Amino acid sequence: MARYDNELAVIGSVALKASCVEEIDRAGLSADDFEDATCRTAFEVIEDLRQNRHPIDPVLIAEEMGRRVPGDHVKFLEQAMIYATTPANISEYCRL
């Protein structure tokens, strides 16, 4: 996955619908697939929340991102969710 918009769509889809992490697993995505540092951090947070059996939602993702790196993570996630528009296309976003 090399384009920022694809990375943003994956993160936005998961923020909109937590069960999209299952599609990420099927696609075999890892943090190394994300070139953008903010998208990579968001992906790592999502994976950590999942592995620790915590709920995944925009508030929790932004909160944990803020613990790791400074920035306006709420704004980033808003942008990601707007860009993704629907989580129904997550499998396509993972392929790009």
Side-chain angles (χ1 to χ4, degrees):
M1 180 177 315
R3 293 180 33 206
Y4 176 73
D5 53 341
N6 297 341
E7 295 177 11
L8 197 62
V10 168
I11 299 304
S13 293
V14 175
L16 287 165
K17 186 175 180 183
S19 63
C20 285
V21 295
E22 296 168 12
E23 189 60 40
I24 289 172
D25 282 346
R26 281 192 286 277
L29 289 183
S30 72
D32 293 336
D33 293 315
F34 290 79
E35 292 181 6
D36 179 77
T38 305
C39 289
R40 186 179 318 108
T41 299
F43 182 85
E44 291 169 345
V45 164
I46 289 165
E47 285 295 297
D48 289 348
L49 289 170
R50 180 172 176 247
Q51 289 176 3
N52 292 312
R53 300 185 186 274
H54 293 293
I56 299 169
D57 71 20
V59 173
L60 299 173
I61 296 168
E63 182 69 26
E64 183 58 30
M65 287 179 74
R67 289 188 183 113
R68 298 178 187 203
V69 294
D72 189 350
H73 305 298
V74 171
K75 185 78 167 168
F76 164 77
L77 288 170
E78 286 174 349
Q79 180 186 8
M81 290 185 295
I82 289 168
Y83 189 78
T85 63
T86 177
N89 297 326
I90 182 73
S91 60
E92 292 300 315
Y93 302 148
C94 288
R95 281 188 326 107
L96 299 174

